[in-house]
Structures are given as C-alpha cells and as structure tokens.
C-alpha cells in the first residue's frame, strides 16, 4: 500500500442479495485515488458505478475486500463512526433530490456545517462565500423548488465542498441536465478542483464530459476494464 | 426549530389534523372535568352544608332508637377537644328532639332542632330561606318552621306553637314557643317536619341544661370534594383524642349517596379521559408516521450527509413537540373559554324532569361548570406528553432508514 493514496481499495467485492437472488455488482476492484485528482468512472448501466461510490462514501459496506481512507480501514468502523466519517471527510452530490425542501439554498449549503457543530455566524459566512465563488449567491434565500435543476445541482456542489472534505463523490450529477448545463456543472467542479485543490470522483455515462477529466476509470461488469490518465 | 415550523407549514392539512387530535381531547376533557367538578362541588356542598357538616361528634349509639340520636349529657368535653384542634374552622352544637307540634286542634309529628343560631347559619341555609318574619336570635325563645308545616298547623308569624318533646333518653317536656319566621324549604319533607328553635329552648324541652345530640364541625381549607383528604386527616387525629363514649361520624356516613357518586364518577372520568388520550395519541402516531414515510428520501439524504440518528429523531420529535404543545395550549384555552361562556350565560338549564330530580338530591336545576386549574393543566400536559410518547415510534422509525435505500425511494 502506497502511503500517499487518499483512498485505496483492495479486492473490493459487493454482491447484493435479494431473497435467494444474488446480484454481483463489484468483482474485485483495486484502486488508488489521490488527492487533487479529478476522476470520472464510466461504464455501461449496471456496471457497478453507483455501488462503488456508495462503498467509497461509507453509505454501504462491501461483501469482501477493504477500503482505506487516508490509511484507516473502513471495515473497522461502526455505523456511527461511518456516519461521522461521511460528515467530516466526504462531500456528496447525488443525481437528484440533493436539497432539503424546507431549507433555503443558503441553509442547505450550511447544513453540513451545522451538523458539524460549527457556530451559526461562521457557517453562514462560509456558505455565502462558496455560493459567491460558484456565482449563485443570488439564490441564497430561495427554496430549492424555486430554482432550476442545474442551479439545484450547483447548490449541491456548493454544499459538497463547503466543509472542505477529503473527496467529493458525485453519482451522475448531470444525468438530469441538458448538455450546456451539464458542461457548465462539470466546468464548475473542474474549477474548484484546480483553484481549491478539491478532489472529485464522479460517475457518469455521458461521453461529452469525459474529455474534461484527468483520469478515467472504466468499469465493466464490476471490474476495472480501463484506467487511464489524460 | 425553524425547519420544523416550515415542515409543519408544508403540509398544512395534516398538521391541522394532528393539531386537532391534540386540541379536541384537551378541550373536551377540560369541559367535562369542569362540569364534573362543579357538579361534585354542588353535591358535596349541599350534603355537608344542609345538615351534616364535614363531620359530627355524637354519643356512641348502643341500642336502636328508631333514628333518634342518643342524648349527650354534657357536650363540653367534645367542644374542648374540637377547640384544641386548630384545623377545625368552627363547630356548632345541635340538639335534635322528636316532638309533637300542636296549634289549636291540629298536631303533627316533627323534629325539633335546637341550634346555636349564629354558627348554624353557616351550614344550614334556613336563614336565607326565610320568607316571612325573621330567623332565630340567640338566647330568645322562638321557632322557625317550613311553609308546609305552617299550612298544616294553620300558623303564621306571631302565633304560638306547643311542642311536646318525646326524646327516648329524656322525660317528656312541653314548651310554648312563638313563631318568629317561616322558611321556604328546599324539599317538601323538610318543610313539613323540621322546626328550628334556639339551643337553650331545646335543652329546656328535654330538661337537660347541657345536653346535645351532636356537635357539627367544619374543617378549615376544604373548598370542595377535592379536599376531602384534609377532612380525613383531621377526623382521624380528633378521634384519637376524643373522650370515651363519643364517636366521629363523617360526611361519608352522613351523605352516603354523595360518597358513592364520587367513587363511581372518578374512575368513569378517568376511563373517558384515557380513551380520549388514546384516540389523540393514535391520530398523532398515524399522521406523523405518514409524514415520516413521505419524507423517506429527505431523511435518507440527511443521514447520508452524516447526520447522527439522534438528530433525525430530534427533528421529528421537535415537530411533534411543537404541534402537540400548541394543540394542548389552544385546547386548554378553548375549554376554559367554553366554560367561561356557559357560566356567563348562567349555566345550562336542564329539562324539567331532570331539574326536579336534581332538586330532590339537593342540587340546582341548572348545570354549572367550574374551571379547575389543576384539571386544565393536567389535561393539557398529559395530552401533550402522551402525544410526544406517541411520536417516539415514528421518530424511531425514521432513524432506521438506510440512506442508500431511502434515497432510491420514489414518491
Ligand atoms: N440494492 C440493490 N439490490 C439488488 N441489486 C442491486 C442493488 N443496487 C444495485 N444492484 C445491482 O447491482 C448492479 C450494479 O448496479 P449499480 O447501480 O452499481 O450500477 P451503475 O453502474 O450505477 O448503473 P447505472 O448506470 O444504471 O446507474 C446492477 O446489476 C444492479 O441491478
Ligand atoms: Mg448508478
């Protein structure tokens, strides 16, 4: 195990069991992700992209194998410790429904800071700052249902990076967006990556986005079929 | 907190339903207890006021005397015992003598009650019921009698009535007494059969200058049936220091109907209250559970972001607490307001037959309500507390969501 890896997976396997039906989703994935990388994981539907993200984010546990996050074996963590780890080390952007409907854009952005126990004045300040950097401060006091899907995803990105996590995991963040909006969102993430050094790992099967990444991992049938730097 | 309010506002219909589920039981119970409380108070006051007092001290009855109380030769030792107990508010001596009342050629078997006019007036309402003449004055020879008896004996104020005392413990005595007042009795049998005279006159009738049949006492700080424990304490203390040969007869024995009514009413009220609380709790569980299920995705998201399960639970409980707190508060306000309105228009008059029945029991024919602060607070607090306990299940359920699965959930 090389020590500079942010995340390392070893022989990662995941098999879903629904009654007597077993669905293999990941079949031995060995990966190393490094800080400041901007990585996409591509692959056909059902290839295991979401599963991989869920395991890396501590939202689910592997059937076998191990994940090390900054050297710590995640299998050794309790449910509450995993929850704590998600809060402090990982930013999430999901495909949709990222925001809490009863909170404003600003409150949604500040939500993880609130969970972290940061005082109100500081979390408002930090949330405003990141919204400003992403050019969406004008929506700060809007509720999520009053802004467009692309704007909602930007807010989700803002929330994912506001607490400076070790890595941002994004599962098809552009799946519900049109081409221009998708490219804008990816460019935004790219900018955060180059300007602030934020590490991104996102799943997509949108080929138009792939020339903007600096590392592309392709999954096929739960295995890494290709892993290239660009 | 802010988020909780917004959640409640988001689904106004359901929040209102939850609110009503708490509000309706509270105001119903406040109203019901208000009625029961006033009803019990009236009954208790009538029972203890009209005749019996909170308790009486009598001579121990050793043989059957056909309803006549045995004569106490000298009431002084009883008075000494009662006066030594400071929780006894006051006491009055009574001498009941079965007698024959005659005027001209008409006669009627009656009960002569020798009383101390100043003190007895505090429990018997006869002084306030005088329709002709006036009430007794201490130390003067005079009698008050009911309208019915006045008609039977054809007597008016100023006439004399001849009393022939026939107490089994004393020699027969005869007394001529002028009528000083005529009263309108609350029930006819009392008006036909009760003559009150001054205690000294009654003692003369039985030729015993210190005699009595009972010392009637009232206890300090008893404002209604809810304070009967105080009476029990005082009577048990006094009976320990009472001279031999005397016994305490308390309101339970003197007014057994009131006692048994209170005994039946209490569990009945509790049963009804419990039912209302349970119904309220069921609606709260139901609506809150629905609301949690509808927010599966949102709760999943919150858990995915790293919220502790305790926090999610707190979030649901905050909403429940807000709504049940507001519901209970408004329920109490509505209940109190209803009582206040009913009392402002003078109570609810009963249909005739009922009113007559109530009057026979010594109650007024109008339903009254009473704001019992303790009952109001208890109804509201218990309902709110039960609603919170009911909310624990949906709140606990919300913490059991698995983030990934919850977020896959499509509404
Ligand atoms: N909770 C689950 N229970 C059972 N099987 C599952 C579950 N989640 C995923 N699978 C299965 O695991 C395999 C991998 O699914 P996964 O969602 O990781 O693929 P994906 O690459 O994200 O696909 P997509 O591009 O459609 O999002 C699929 O065969 C899928 O049906
Ligand atoms: Mg997927």
């Amino acid at each position: 195990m090389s020590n500079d890896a942010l995340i390392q997976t070893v022989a990662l396997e995941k098999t879903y069991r629904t009654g007597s039906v077993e669905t293999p989703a990941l079949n031995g994935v060995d990966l190393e992700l490094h800080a400041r990388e901007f990585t996409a994981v591509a692959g056909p539907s059902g290839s295991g992209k979401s599963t991989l993200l869920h395991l890396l984010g501590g939202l689910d546990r592997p059937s076998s194998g191990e994940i090390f996050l900054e050297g710590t074996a995640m299998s050794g963590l309790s449910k509450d410790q995993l929850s704590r780890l998600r809060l402090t080390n990982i930013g999430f952007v999901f495909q949709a429904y990222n925001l809490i409907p009863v909170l404003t854009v600003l409150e949604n952005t500040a939500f993880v800071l609130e969970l972290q126990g940061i005082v109100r004045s500081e979390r408002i300040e930090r949330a405003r700052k990141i919204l400003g950097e992403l050019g969406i401060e004008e929506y700060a006091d809007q509720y999520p249902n009053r802004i467009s899907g692309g704007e909602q995803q930007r807010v989700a990105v803002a929330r994912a990076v506001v607490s400076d996590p070790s890595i941002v995991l994004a599962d098809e963040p552009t799946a519900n967006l049109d081409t221009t909006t998708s490219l804008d969102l990816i460019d935004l993430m790219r900018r955060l990556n180059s300007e602030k050094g934020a590490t991104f790992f996102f799943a997509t099967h949108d080929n138009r986005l792939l020339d903007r990444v600096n590392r592309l991992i392709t999954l096929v049938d739960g295995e890494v079929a290709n892993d290239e730097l660009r | 907190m802010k988020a909780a309010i917004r959640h409640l506002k988001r689904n106004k219909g359901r929040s209102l339903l939850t609110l009503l589920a708490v509000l309706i039981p509270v105001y119903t119970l406040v109203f019901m207890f208000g009625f029961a409380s006033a009803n019990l108070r009236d009954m208790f006051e009538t029972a203890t006021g009209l005749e019996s007092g909170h308790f009486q001290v009598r001579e121990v009855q050793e043989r059957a005397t056909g309803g006549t109380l045995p004569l106490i030769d000298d009431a002084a030792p009883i008075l000494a015992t009662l006066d030594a107990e400071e929780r006894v508010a006051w006491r009055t001596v009574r001498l009941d003598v079965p007698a024959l009342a005659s005027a001209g050629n008409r006669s009627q078997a009656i009960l002569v009650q020798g009383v101390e006019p100043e003190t007895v007036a505090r429990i018997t309402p006869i002084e306030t019921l005088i329709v002709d003449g006036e009430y007794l004055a201490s130390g003067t020879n005079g009698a008050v009698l009911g309208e019915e008896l006045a008609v039977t004996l054809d007597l008016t104020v100023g006439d004399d009535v001849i009393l022939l005392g026939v107490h089994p413990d004393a020699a027969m005595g005869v007394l001529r007494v002028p009528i000083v007042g005529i009263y309108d009795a609350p029930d006819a049998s009392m008006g036909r059969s009760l003559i009150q005279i001054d205690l000294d006159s009654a003692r003369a009738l039985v030729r015993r200058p210190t005699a009595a049949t009972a010392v009637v006492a009232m206890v300090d700080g008893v404002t209604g049936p809810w304070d009967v424990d105080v009476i029990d304490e005082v009577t048990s203390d006094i009976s320990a220091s009472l001279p031999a040969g005397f016994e305490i007869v308390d309101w339970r024995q003197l007014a057994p109907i009131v006692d048994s009514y209170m005994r039946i009413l209490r569990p009945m009220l509790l049963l009804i209250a419990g039912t209302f609380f349970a119904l309220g709790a069921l609606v709260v569980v139901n609506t809150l559970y629905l609301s949690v299920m509808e927010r599966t995705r949102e709760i999943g998201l919150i858990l995915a972001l790293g919220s502790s399960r305790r926090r999610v639970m707190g979030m649901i409980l905050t909403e429940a607490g807000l709504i049940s707190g507001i519901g209970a508060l408004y329920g109490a306000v509505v209940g109190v307001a209803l009582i206040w309105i009913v009392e402002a228009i003078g109570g609810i008059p009963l249909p005739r037959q009922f009113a007559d029945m109530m009057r026979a029991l010594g109650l007024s024919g109008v339903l009254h309500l009473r704001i019992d602060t303790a009952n109001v607070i208890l109804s509201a607090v218990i309902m709110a507390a039960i609603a919170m306990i009911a909310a624990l299940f949906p709140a606990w359920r919300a913490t059991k969501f698995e983030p990934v699965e919850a977020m896959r959930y499509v509404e």
Side-chain angles (χ1 to χ4, degrees):
Chain A
M1 179 174 97
S2 57
N3 287 328
D4 62 336
L6 176 64
I7 291 180
Q8 184 184 23
T9 72
V10 180
L12 201 59
E13 291 189 13
K14 177 71 181 180
T15 303
Y16 292 103
R17 280 183 191 79
T18 323
S20 58
V21 184
E22 295 199 352
T23 316
L26 292 179
N27 303 313
V29 172
D30 295 277
L31 272 181
E32 281 189 14
L33 302 178
H34 303 276
R36 297 173 162 270
E37 277 181 339
F38 194 73
T39 312
V41 54
S45 185
S47 57
K49 305 184 292 292
S50 296
T51 303
L52 179 60
L53 258 64
H54 292 160
L55 295 182
L56 296 183
L59 287 168
D60 204 354
R61 290 185 190 269
S63 307
S64 69
E66 184 60 273
I67 303 168
F68 297 94
L69 178 75
E70 294 174 327
T72 308
M74 282 172 65
S75 63
L77 301 179
S78 72
K79 220 171 172 178
D80 286 344
Q81 285 171 323
L82 272 184
S83 171
R84 191 79 211 155
L85 178 113
R86 292 198 298 272
L87 180 59
T88 50
N89 287 303
I90 298 173
F92 286 101
V93 180
F94 300 101
Q95 184 175 330
Y97 304 107
N98 265 296
L99 306 178
I100 300 166
V102 294
L103 300 183
T104 64
V105 163
L106 183 70
E107 289 163 343
N108 262 291
T109 311
F111 186 70
V112 283
L113 301 177
E114 188 185 339
L115 291 181
Q116 288 177 356
I118 290 168
V119 296
R120 193 185 146 78
S121 55
E122 187 189 337
R123 45 179 210 255
I124 295 296
E125 188 192 314
R126 282 171 65 178
R128 272 201 193 285
K129 183 157 170 274
I130 193 74
L131 288 177
E133 283 169 17
L134 300 193
I136 45 176
E137 72 239 89
E138 60 187 292
Y139 307 122
D141 297 323
Q142 299 279 6
Y143 286 96
N145 60 359
R146 303 292 302 275
I147 60 177
S148 72
E151 288 152 4
Q152 288 181 24
Q153 289 304 77
R154 280 171 177 248
V155 177
V157 171
R159 182 193 57 207
V161 298
V162 71
S163 64
D164 294 322
S166 312
I167 188 167
V168 175
L169 301 174
D171 192 359
E172 309 204 28
T174 62
N176 294 346
L177 306 179
D178 60 44
T179 305
T180 341
T181 324
S182 295
L183 292 174
D184 283 351
L185 191 76
I186 292 300
D187 287 343
L188 184 83
M189 286 161 49
R190 188 71 227 224
R191 190 155 61 79
L192 286 168
N193 170 251
S194 53
E195 287 175 9
K196 302 179 67 122
T199 310
F200 282 86
F201 186 70
F202 66 98
T204 186
H205 48 212
D206 185 346
N207 291 324
R208 290 164 304 186
L209 309 179
L210 298 182
D211 53 354
R212 285 171 158 77
V213 302
N214 57 22
R215 183 177 172 190
L216 176 64
I217 295 169
T218 311
L219 282 186
V220 175
D221 291 339
E223 289 176 35
V224 176
N226 192 24
D227 184 351
E228 54 178 315
L229 293 175
R230 300 172 156 220
Chain B
M1 188 70 149
K2 228 177 14 184
I5 294 171
R6 290 188 204 147
H7 266 302
L8 295 176
K9 279 189 184 159
R10 189 166 56 163
N11 196 328
K12 288 208 183 71
R14 190 169 47 214
S15 297
L16 190 70
L17 183 64
T18 319
L19 192 81
L20 290 179
V22 175
L23 191 146
I24 292 175
V26 171
Y27 85 66
T28 311
L29 290 179
V30 166
F31 194 80
M32 189 182 81
F33 279 119
F35 166 68
S37 168
N39 193 234
L40 274 180
R41 176 203 53 194
D42 289 355
M43 266 192 124
F44 182 76
E45 271 179 6
T46 313
T48 57
L50 200 61
E51 280 283 307
S52 58
H54 289 155
F55 68 93
Q56 299 183 358
V57 182
R58 296 174 177 173
E59 188 160 282
V60 177
Q61 196 150 4
E62 273 156 358
R63 60 200 158 74
T65 49
T68 309
L69 298 179
L71 270 191
I72 301 165
D73 252 339
D74 186 359
I78 300 174
L79 298 182
T81 310
L82 293 183
D83 292 346
E85 171 56 66
E86 57 187 22
R87 283 169 296 173
V88 171
W90 54 270
R91 55 10 179 223
T92 187
V93 179
R94 235 172 52 194
L95 174 54
D96 292 356
V97 184
L100 191 71
S102 309
N105 56 358
R106 302 176 185 215
S107 295
Q108 171 83 32
I110 53 130
L111 183 72
V112 166
Q113 208 165 61
V115 298
E116 300 177 300
E118 282 79 23
T119 43
V120 81
R122 298 198 205 169
I123 49 166
T124 50
I126 290 183
E127 185 172 14
T128 62
L129 301 173
I130 297 289
V131 290
D132 197 8
E134 54 199 28
Y135 192 59
L136 303 173
S138 191
T140 54
N141 195 24
V144 293
L145 74 176
E147 283 179 306
E148 291 86 347
L149 188 58
V151 171
T152 311
L153 297 180
D154 192 21
L155 288 169
T156 61
V157 173
D159 295 345
D160 281 354
V161 61
I162 311 245
L163 301 174
L164 176 67
V166 290
H167 196 287
D169 291 349
M172 274 192 209
V174 182
L175 201 65
R176 172 184 289 269
V177 197
I179 309 290
V180 295
I182 292 174
Y183 66 89
D184 174 18
D187 72 290
S189 79
M190 174 179 171
R192 259 195 308 276
S193 63
L194 183 74
I195 292 186
Q196 276 193 346
I197 62 177
D198 184 57
L199 179 63
D200 286 342
S201 308
R203 282 171 167 169
L205 189 62
V206 292
R207 301 168 203 273
R208 305 268 191 98
T210 54
T213 48
V215 179
V216 180
M218 295 293 262
V219 175
D220 239 345
V222 176
T223 59
W226 39 89
D227 290 330
V228 293
D229 292 353
V230 181
I231 303 178
D232 293 344
E233 263 170 49
V234 172
T235 52
S236 84
D237 287 358
I238 287 178
S239 67
S241 56
L242 209 57
F246 298 117
E247 65 178 351
I248 285 183
V249 182
D250 72 3
W251 66 278
R252 287 180 220 277
Q253 293 148 280
L254 295 166
I257 293 179
V258 178
D259 185 38
S260 48
Y261 180 64
M262 282 172 63
R263 278 176 208 277
I264 296 165
L265 196 62
R266 195 160 309 195
M268 238 168 60
L269 288 178
L270 290 182
L271 188 73
I272 296 172
T275 309
F276 270 100
F277 287 145
L279 285 177
L282 276 178
V283 179
V284 170
V285 171
N286 189 39
T287 52
L288 213 59
Y289 190 78
L290 265 177
S291 140
V292 163
M293 284 308 163
E294 267 177 24
R295 278 190 274 159
T296 298
R297 182 190 289 282
E298 181 185 330
I299 292 166
L301 172 70
I302 290 172
L303 288 170
L305 293 178
S307 167
S308 70
R309 284 162 199 273
R310 238 187 41 215
R311 197 193 152 92
V312 168
M313 187 143 183
M315 183 179 93
I316 307 293
L317 288 181
T318 304
E319 286 173 36
L322 263 176
I323 204 144
S324 44
I326 296 172
L329 185 70
Y330 280 130
V333 169
V334 170
V336 168
L338 277 179
I339 293 180
W340 189 80
I341 291 169
V342 167
E343 281 303 291
I345 60 170
I348 306 170
L350 286 173
R352 245 194 105 115
Q353 292 99 316
F354 272 119
D356 291 347
M357 234 163 71
M358 301 272 287
R359 252 181 245 115
L361 284 171
L363 295 171
S364 74
V366 178
L367 283 188
H368 280 287
L369 293 151
R370 179 177 169 275
I371 296 166
D372 183 331
T373 317
N375 279 342
V376 173
I377 293 174
L378 276 181
S379 302
V381 168
I382 293 178
M383 183 70 248
I386 288 177
M388 284 305 283
I389 293 171
L392 284 175
F393 172 66
W396 169 83
R397 189 67 189 71
T399 68
K400 292 295 152 198
F401 287 153
E402 285 302 327
V404 179
E405 269 154 47
M407 277 187 302
R408 207 187 338 247
Y409 177 88
V410 181
E411 279 149 66

